[in-house]
PDB file of all heavy atoms in Angstrom:
ATOM      1  N   TYR B  29      -5.762  -4.336 -21.113  1.00 98.00           N
ATOM      2  CA  TYR B  29      -4.528  -4.779 -20.516  1.00 98.00           C
ATOM      3  C   TYR B  29      -4.119  -3.634 -19.587  1.00 98.00           C
ATOM      4  O   TYR B  29      -4.304  -2.473 -19.947  1.00 98.00           O
ATOM      5  CB  TYR B  29      -3.445  -5.032 -21.606  1.00 98.00           C
ATOM      6  CG  TYR B  29      -2.130  -5.485 -20.996  1.00 98.00           C
ATOM      7  CD1 TYR B  29      -2.025  -6.779 -20.486  1.00 98.00           C
ATOM      8  CD2 TYR B  29      -1.068  -4.624 -20.866  1.00 98.00           C
ATOM      9  CE1 TYR B  29      -0.863  -7.202 -19.868  1.00 98.00           C
ATOM     10  CE2 TYR B  29       0.114  -5.029 -20.257  1.00 98.00           C
ATOM     11  CZ  TYR B  29       0.226  -6.320 -19.783  1.00 98.00           C
ATOM     12  OH  TYR B  29       1.364  -6.730 -19.160  1.00 98.00           O
ATOM     13  N   PRO B  30      -3.639  -3.958 -18.348  1.00 98.00           N
ATOM     14  CA  PRO B  30      -3.377  -2.889 -17.416  1.00 98.00           C
ATOM     15  C   PRO B  30      -2.275  -1.931 -17.879  1.00 98.00           C
ATOM     16  O   PRO B  30      -1.455  -2.295 -18.716  1.00 98.00           O
ATOM     17  CB  PRO B  30      -2.914  -3.617 -16.149  1.00 98.00           C
ATOM     18  CG  PRO B  30      -2.636  -5.027 -16.529  1.00 98.00           C
ATOM     19  CD  PRO B  30      -3.414  -5.311 -17.774  1.00 98.00           C
ATOM     20  N   GLY B  31      -2.330  -0.737 -17.366  1.00 97.00           N
ATOM     21  CA  GLY B  31      -1.318   0.287 -17.690  1.00 97.00           C
ATOM     22  C   GLY B  31      -1.706   1.584 -17.045  1.00 97.00           C
ATOM     23  O   GLY B  31      -2.850   2.032 -17.225  1.00 97.00           O
ATOM     24  N   THR B  32      -0.820   2.163 -16.272  1.00 96.00           N
ATOM     25  CA  THR B  32      -1.080   3.436 -15.582  1.00 96.00           C
ATOM     26  C   THR B  32      -1.152   4.515 -16.658  1.00 96.00           C
ATOM     27  O   THR B  32      -0.277   4.584 -17.506  1.00 96.00           O
ATOM     28  CB  THR B  32       0.045   3.749 -14.606  1.00 96.00           C
ATOM     29  OG1 THR B  32       0.334   2.565 -13.852  1.00 96.00           O
ATOM     30  CG2 THR B  32      -0.298   4.886 -13.676  1.00 96.00           C
ATOM     31  N   GLU B  55      -3.017  -5.223 -25.519  1.00 98.00           N
ATOM     32  CA  GLU B  55      -4.042  -4.254 -25.887  1.00 98.00           C
ATOM     33  C   GLU B  55      -4.673  -4.602 -27.237  1.00 98.00           C
ATOM     34  O   GLU B  55      -5.848  -4.317 -27.491  1.00 98.00           O
ATOM     35  CB  GLU B  55      -3.468  -2.859 -25.924  1.00 98.00           C
ATOM     36  CG  GLU B  55      -3.072  -2.283 -24.578  1.00 98.00           C
ATOM     37  CD  GLU B  55      -1.648  -2.680 -24.129  1.00 98.00           C
ATOM     38  OE1 GLU B  55      -1.017  -3.517 -24.810  1.00 98.00           O
ATOM     39  OE2 GLU B  55      -1.177  -2.149 -23.103  1.00 98.00           O
ATOM     40  N   LYS B  77      -3.567   2.319 -21.508  1.00 98.00           N
ATOM     41  CA  LYS B  77      -2.780   3.534 -21.416  1.00 98.00           C
ATOM     42  C   LYS B  77      -2.399   3.969 -22.810  1.00 98.00           C
ATOM     43  O   LYS B  77      -2.519   3.197 -23.783  1.00 98.00           O
ATOM     44  CB  LYS B  77      -1.577   3.335 -20.520  1.00 98.00           C
ATOM     45  CG  LYS B  77      -0.435   2.502 -21.072  1.00 98.00           C
ATOM     46  CD  LYS B  77       0.671   2.387 -20.050  1.00 98.00           C
ATOM     47  CE  LYS B  77       1.480   3.658 -19.997  1.00 98.00           C
ATOM     48  NZ  LYS B  77       2.256   3.822 -18.789  1.00 98.00           N
ATOM     49  N   VAL B  79       0.352   4.304 -24.573  1.00 98.00           N
ATOM     50  CA  VAL B  79       1.205   3.466 -25.409  1.00 98.00           C
ATOM     51  C   VAL B  79       0.554   2.130 -25.781  1.00 98.00           C
ATOM     52  O   VAL B  79       0.935   1.493 -26.743  1.00 98.00           O
ATOM     53  CB  VAL B  79       2.596   3.226 -24.764  1.00 98.00           C
ATOM     54  CG1 VAL B  79       3.420   4.474 -24.791  1.00 98.00           C
ATOM     55  CG2 VAL B  79       2.473   2.675 -23.341  1.00 98.00           C
ATOM     56  N   GLY B  80      -0.445   1.772 -25.018  1.00 98.00           N
ATOM     57  CA  GLY B  80      -1.229   0.566 -25.384  1.00 98.00           C
ATOM     58  C   GLY B  80      -1.914   0.734 -26.737  1.00 98.00           C
ATOM     59  O   GLY B  80      -2.109  -0.237 -27.474  1.00 98.00           O
ATOM     60  N   VAL B  83       0.007  -0.567 -29.584  1.00 98.00           N
ATOM     61  CA  VAL B  83      -0.095  -2.003 -29.743  1.00 98.00           C
ATOM     62  C   VAL B  83      -1.422  -2.364 -30.438  1.00 98.00           C
ATOM     63  O   VAL B  83      -1.489  -3.270 -31.252  1.00 98.00           O
ATOM     64  CB  VAL B  83       0.022  -2.711 -28.382  1.00 98.00           C
ATOM     65  CG1 VAL B  83      -0.091  -4.204 -28.512  1.00 98.00           C
ATOM     66  CG2 VAL B  83       1.353  -2.351 -27.720  1.00 98.00           C
ATOM     67  N   GLN B 114       6.876   5.868 -20.528  1.00 93.00           N
ATOM     68  CA  GLN B 114       8.133   6.094 -21.212  1.00 93.00           C
ATOM     69  C   GLN B 114       8.073   7.215 -22.226  1.00 93.00           C
ATOM     70  O   GLN B 114       9.082   7.577 -22.803  1.00 93.00           O
ATOM     71  CB  GLN B 114       8.565   4.788 -21.882  1.00 93.00           C
ATOM     72  CG  GLN B 114       7.717   4.294 -23.063  1.00 93.00           C
ATOM     73  CD  GLN B 114       6.664   3.267 -22.634  1.00 93.00           C
ATOM     74  OE1 GLN B 114       6.053   3.396 -21.592  1.00 93.00           O
ATOM     75  NE2 GLN B 114       6.459   2.265 -23.458  1.00 93.00           N
ATOM     76  N   HIS B 347      13.173  -9.595  -7.749  1.00 97.00           N
ATOM     77  CA  HIS B 347      14.018  -9.176  -8.882  1.00 97.00           C
ATOM     78  C   HIS B 347      15.429  -8.765  -8.425  1.00 97.00           C
ATOM     79  O   HIS B 347      16.364  -8.810  -9.171  1.00 97.00           O
ATOM     80  CB  HIS B 347      13.412  -7.975  -9.617  1.00 97.00           C
ATOM     81  CG  HIS B 347      12.011  -8.203 -10.157  1.00 97.00           C
ATOM     82  ND1 HIS B 347      11.527  -9.441 -10.441  1.00 97.00           N
ATOM     83  CD2 HIS B 347      11.014  -7.327 -10.469  1.00 97.00           C
ATOM     84  CE1 HIS B 347      10.293  -9.315 -10.899  1.00 97.00           C
ATOM     85  NE2 HIS B 347       9.963  -8.049 -10.916  1.00 97.00           N
ATOM     86  N   ILE B 365       9.732  -3.404 -19.730  1.00 96.00           N
ATOM     87  CA  ILE B 365       8.940  -2.505 -18.932  1.00 96.00           C
ATOM     88  C   ILE B 365       8.238  -3.264 -17.792  1.00 96.00           C
ATOM     89  O   ILE B 365       7.499  -4.200 -18.064  1.00 96.00           O
ATOM     90  CB  ILE B 365       7.934  -1.786 -19.817  1.00 96.00           C
ATOM     91  CG1 ILE B 365       8.670  -1.181 -20.997  1.00 96.00           C
ATOM     92  CG2 ILE B 365       7.171  -0.741 -18.983  1.00 96.00           C
ATOM     93  CD1 ILE B 365       8.375   0.248 -21.335  1.00 96.00           C
ATOM     94  N   GLY B 366       8.477  -2.812 -16.594  1.00 95.00           N
ATOM     95  CA  GLY B 366       7.869  -3.456 -15.431  1.00 95.00           C
ATOM     96  C   GLY B 366       8.620  -2.999 -14.203  1.00 95.00           C
ATOM     97  O   GLY B 366       9.512  -2.143 -14.304  1.00 95.00           O
ATOM     98  N   CYS B 367       8.304  -3.558 -13.037  1.00 95.00           N
ATOM     99  CA  CYS B 367       9.035  -3.186 -11.846  1.00 95.00           C
ATOM    100  C   CYS B 367      10.556  -3.357 -12.040  1.00 95.00           C
ATOM    101  O   CYS B 367      11.337  -2.569 -11.569  1.00 95.00           O
ATOM    102  CB  CYS B 367       8.592  -4.046 -10.675  1.00 95.00           C
ATOM    103  SG  CYS B 367       6.954  -3.605 -10.039  1.00 95.00           S
ATOM    104  N   TYR B 368      10.895  -4.398 -12.783  1.00 95.00           N
ATOM    105  CA  TYR B 368      12.319  -4.688 -12.978  1.00 95.00           C
ATOM    106  C   TYR B 368      13.034  -3.618 -13.772  1.00 95.00           C
ATOM    107  O   TYR B 368      14.278  -3.578 -13.810  1.00 95.00           O
ATOM    108  CB  TYR B 368      12.488  -6.063 -13.644  1.00 95.00           C
ATOM    109  CG  TYR B 368      11.580  -6.231 -14.817  1.00 95.00           C
ATOM    110  CD1 TYR B 368      12.008  -5.896 -16.099  1.00 95.00           C
ATOM    111  CD2 TYR B 368      10.258  -6.668 -14.672  1.00 95.00           C
ATOM    112  CE1 TYR B 368      11.145  -5.968 -17.165  1.00 95.00           C
ATOM    113  CE2 TYR B 368       9.377  -6.755 -15.727  1.00 95.00           C
ATOM    114  CZ  TYR B 368       9.833  -6.412 -16.982  1.00 95.00           C
ATOM    115  OH  TYR B 368       8.999  -6.475 -18.048  1.00 95.00           O
ATOM    116  N   MET B 385       7.199  -2.464 -24.227  1.00 98.00           N
ATOM    117  CA  MET B 385       6.929  -3.839 -23.774  1.00 98.00           C
ATOM    118  C   MET B 385       7.351  -4.847 -24.834  1.00 98.00           C
ATOM    119  O   MET B 385       6.932  -4.752 -25.992  1.00 98.00           O
ATOM    120  CB  MET B 385       5.474  -3.991 -23.400  1.00 98.00           C
ATOM    121  CG  MET B 385       5.190  -3.237 -22.113  1.00 98.00           C
ATOM    122  SD  MET B 385       3.599  -3.596 -21.400  1.00 98.00           S
ATOM    123  CE  MET B 385       3.893  -5.185 -20.683  1.00 98.00           C
ATOM    124  N   GLY B 409       9.595  -9.461 -17.545  1.00 98.00           N
ATOM    125  CA  GLY B 409       8.663  -9.983 -16.553  1.00 98.00           C
ATOM    126  C   GLY B 409       7.685 -10.963 -17.163  1.00 98.00           C
ATOM    127  O   GLY B 409       7.540 -11.052 -18.381  1.00 98.00           O
ATOM    128  N   ASP B 410       6.991 -11.707 -16.312  1.00 98.00           N
ATOM    129  CA  ASP B 410       6.058 -12.730 -16.826  1.00 98.00           C
ATOM    130  C   ASP B 410       4.912 -12.107 -17.615  1.00 98.00           C
ATOM    131  O   ASP B 410       4.556 -12.558 -18.699  1.00 98.00           O
ATOM    132  CB  ASP B 410       5.522 -13.593 -15.687  1.00 98.00           C
ATOM    133  CG  ASP B 410       5.055 -12.802 -14.481  1.00 98.00           C
ATOM    134  OD1 ASP B 410       5.693 -11.793 -14.167  1.00 98.00           O
ATOM    135  OD2 ASP B 410       4.060 -13.183 -13.844  1.00 98.00           O
ATOM    136  N   SER B 411       4.341 -11.011 -17.093  1.00 98.00           N
ATOM    137  CA  SER B 411       3.221 -10.383 -17.804  1.00 98.00           C
ATOM    138  C   SER B 411       3.683  -9.804 -19.137  1.00 98.00           C
ATOM    139  O   SER B 411       3.013  -9.956 -20.151  1.00 98.00           O
ATOM    140  CB  SER B 411       2.607  -9.277 -16.916  1.00 98.00           C
ATOM    141  OG  SER B 411       1.456  -8.750 -17.483  1.00 98.00           O
ATOM    142  N   THR B 412       4.847  -9.185 -19.116  1.00 98.00           N
ATOM    143  CA  THR B 412       5.379  -8.546 -20.326  1.00 98.00           C
ATOM    144  C   THR B 412       5.747  -9.636 -21.340  1.00 98.00           C
ATOM    145  O   THR B 412       5.569  -9.473 -22.561  1.00 98.00           O
ATOM    146  CB  THR B 412       6.564  -7.649 -19.999  1.00 98.00           C
ATOM    147  OG1 THR B 412       6.146  -6.720 -19.003  1.00 98.00           O
ATOM    148  CG2 THR B 412       7.054  -6.927 -21.214  1.00 98.00           C
ATOM    149  N   HIS B 415       2.647 -10.628 -22.941  1.00 98.00           N
ATOM    150  CA  HIS B 415       2.110  -9.478 -23.706  1.00 98.00           C
ATOM    151  C   HIS B 415       2.713  -9.393 -25.099  1.00 98.00           C
ATOM    152  O   HIS B 415       2.018  -9.362 -26.096  1.00 98.00           O
ATOM    153  CB  HIS B 415       2.386  -8.205 -22.916  1.00 98.00           C
ATOM    154  CG  HIS B 415       2.022  -6.922 -23.586  1.00 98.00           C
ATOM    155  ND1 HIS B 415       2.805  -6.324 -24.597  1.00 98.00           N
ATOM    156  CD2 HIS B 415       0.953  -6.063 -23.429  1.00 98.00           C
ATOM    157  CE1 HIS B 415       2.221  -5.193 -24.984  1.00 98.00           C
ATOM    158  NE2 HIS B 415       1.105  -5.023 -24.295  1.00 98.00           N
ATOM    159  N   ASN B 438       7.276 -13.315 -11.268  1.00 97.00           N
ATOM    160  CA  ASN B 438       6.670 -13.097  -9.946  1.00 97.00           C
ATOM    161  C   ASN B 438       5.187 -13.401  -9.962  1.00 97.00           C
ATOM    162  O   ASN B 438       4.439 -13.067  -9.045  1.00 97.00           O
ATOM    163  CB  ASN B 438       6.943 -11.673  -9.408  1.00 97.00           C
ATOM    164  CG  ASN B 438       6.388 -10.613 -10.342  1.00 97.00           C
ATOM    165  OD1 ASN B 438       5.743 -10.911 -11.328  1.00 97.00           O
ATOM    166  ND2 ASN B 438       6.647  -9.355 -10.011  1.00 97.00           N
ATOM    167  N   ILE B 440       2.550 -12.337 -11.449  1.00 96.00           N
ATOM    168  CA  ILE B 440       1.529 -11.279 -11.377  1.00 96.00           C
ATOM    169  C   ILE B 440       2.017 -10.107 -12.239  1.00 96.00           C
ATOM    170  O   ILE B 440       3.190 -10.051 -12.575  1.00 96.00           O
ATOM    171  CB  ILE B 440       1.281 -10.827  -9.914  1.00 96.00           C
ATOM    172  CG1 ILE B 440      -0.105 -10.210  -9.696  1.00 96.00           C
ATOM    173  CG2 ILE B 440       2.362  -9.860  -9.436  1.00 96.00           C
ATOM    174  CD1 ILE B 440      -1.233 -11.203  -9.610  1.00 96.00           C
ATOM    175  N   THR B 441       1.109  -9.219 -12.583  1.00 97.00           N
ATOM    176  CA  THR B 441       1.524  -7.966 -13.230  1.00 97.00           C
ATOM    177  C   THR B 441       1.805  -6.992 -12.104  1.00 97.00           C
ATOM    178  O   THR B 441       0.892  -6.400 -11.551  1.00 97.00           O
ATOM    179  CB  THR B 441       0.383  -7.458 -14.155  1.00 97.00           C
ATOM    180  OG1 THR B 441      -0.142  -8.561 -14.892  1.00 97.00           O
ATOM    181  CG2 THR B 441       0.891  -6.391 -15.118  1.00 97.00           C
ATOM    182  N   GLY B 442       3.078  -6.857 -11.767  1.00 95.00           N
ATOM    183  CA  GLY B 442       3.446  -6.147 -10.527  1.00 95.00           C
ATOM    184  C   GLY B 442       3.317  -4.625 -10.605  1.00 95.00           C
ATOM    185  O   GLY B 442       2.620  -3.999  -9.820  1.00 95.00           O
ATOM    186  N   MET B 443       4.000  -4.060 -11.549  1.00 93.00           N
ATOM    187  CA  MET B 443       4.114  -2.605 -11.657  1.00 93.00           C
ATOM    188  C   MET B 443       2.807  -1.856 -11.579  1.00 93.00           C
ATOM    189  O   MET B 443       2.686  -0.828 -10.961  1.00 93.00           O
ATOM    190  CB  MET B 443       4.805  -2.268 -12.990  1.00 93.00           C
ATOM    191  CG  MET B 443       4.951  -0.812 -13.289  1.00 93.00           C
ATOM    192  SD  MET B 443       6.549  -0.140 -12.865  1.00 93.00           S
ATOM    193  CE  MET B 443       6.342   0.245 -11.147  1.00 93.00           C
ATOM    194  N   THR B 444       1.787  -2.412 -12.217  1.00 94.00           N
ATOM    195  CA  THR B 444       0.490  -1.704 -12.288  1.00 94.00           C
ATOM    196  C   THR B 444      -0.397  -2.034 -11.137  1.00 94.00           C
ATOM    197  O   THR B 444      -1.566  -1.602 -11.110  1.00 94.00           O
ATOM    198  CB  THR B 444      -0.169  -2.048 -13.635  1.00 94.00           C
ATOM    199  OG1 THR B 444      -0.045  -3.471 -13.842  1.00 94.00           O
ATOM    200  CG2 THR B 444       0.474  -1.330 -14.788  1.00 94.00           C
TER     201      THR B 444
HETATM  202  C1  TPP C   1       1.993  -1.195 -24.239  1.00 91.90           C
HETATM  203  C2  TPP C   1       2.024  -1.040 -22.764  1.00 91.90           C
HETATM  204  N1  TPP C   1       1.028  -1.511 -22.037  1.00 91.90           N
HETATM  205  C3  TPP C   1       1.032  -1.421 -20.684  1.00 91.90           C
HETATM  206  C4  TPP C   1       2.055  -0.801 -20.062  1.00 91.90           C
HETATM  207  C5  TPP C   1       2.008  -0.641 -18.545  1.00 91.90           C
HETATM  208  N2  TPP C   1       2.890  -1.591 -17.873  1.00 91.90           N
HETATM  209  C6  TPP C   1       4.116  -1.222 -17.511  1.00 91.90           C
HETATM  210  S1  TPP C   1       4.913  -2.482 -16.837  1.00 91.90           S
HETATM  211  C7  TPP C   1       3.654  -3.525 -16.981  1.00 91.90           C
HETATM  212  C8  TPP C   1       3.607  -4.957 -16.567  1.00 91.90           C
HETATM  213  C9  TPP C   1       4.695  -5.437 -15.793  1.00 91.90           C
HETATM  214  O1  TPP C   1       4.425  -6.746 -15.374  1.00 91.90           O
HETATM  215  P1  TPP C   1       5.566  -7.856 -15.421  1.00 91.90           P
HETATM  216  O2  TPP C   1       6.164  -7.891 -16.751  1.00 91.90           O
HETATM  217  O3  TPP C   1       4.976  -9.115 -14.912  1.00 91.90           O
HETATM  218  O4  TPP C   1       6.652  -7.276 -14.423  1.00 91.90           O
HETATM  219  P2  TPP C   1       6.555  -6.888 -12.877  1.00 91.90           P
HETATM  220  O5  TPP C   1       6.172  -5.433 -12.827  1.00 91.90           O
HETATM  221  O6  TPP C   1       5.579  -7.772 -12.241  1.00 91.90           O
HETATM  222  O7  TPP C   1       7.923  -7.067 -12.359  1.00 91.90           O
HETATM  223  C10 TPP C   1       2.605  -2.864 -17.557  1.00 91.90           C
HETATM  224  C11 TPP C   1       1.333  -3.495 -17.800  1.00 91.90           C
HETATM  225  C12 TPP C   1       3.097  -0.302 -20.869  1.00 91.90           C
HETATM  226  N3  TPP C   1       4.148   0.330 -20.326  1.00 91.90           N
HETATM  227  N4  TPP C   1       3.066  -0.451 -22.175  1.00 91.90           N
END
Side-chain angles (χ1 to χ4, degrees):
Chain B
Y29 180 73
T32 314
E55 293 85 353
K77 72 181 284 161
V79 289
V83 179
Q114 67 265 41
H347 303 335
I365 309 228
C367 287
Y368 48 91
M385 289 191 76
D410 47 324
S411 186
T412 305
H415 174 281
N438 59 4
I440 204 78
T441 315
M443 177 97 274
T444 43

